[in-house]
Amino acid sequence: MIISSLSARRRHLTSFERCYAVACQLRDTTGADQFVVRTDDPLQPFRDSRHQPSEPETILALVA
């Protein structure tokens, strides 16, 4: 898998924990609910979204 060959810095920046922290900051800043979703992209395995994701992404957390 590509993730295992990424640098430690890249793994940190693309981690669920980092994504969740960004979602919390965005929720505090904007007041809008944030979804943390898993993607099929090995270079960006998690992302935040203000909108409910569609297939093939999977909701992992809702920051409300």
Side-chain angles (χ1 to χ4, degrees):
M1 180 176 226
I2 291 177
I3 295 298
S4 62
S5 66
L6 297 176
S7 71
R9 180 76 171 148
R10 168 71 83 171
R11 282 192 305 273
H12 171 72
L13 291 173
T14 61
S15 70
F16 171 81
E17 292 79 10
R18 176 78 171 181
C19 188
Y20 186 80
V22 170
C24 290
Q25 290 173 349
L26 287 170
R27 173 65 174 107
D28 289 344
T29 302
T30 67
D33 293 349
Q34 300 291 320
F35 293 94
V36 178
V37 299
R38 176 184 297 139
T39 71
D40 284 339
D41 183 354
L43 295 177
Q44 184 186 18
F46 308 103
R47 71 176 185 87
D48 310 319
S49 178
R50 290 179 65 181
H51 307 286
Q52 188 167 355
S54 58
E55 294 292 330
E57 297 178 330
T58 304
I59 298 172
L60 299 176
L62 170 61
V63 180

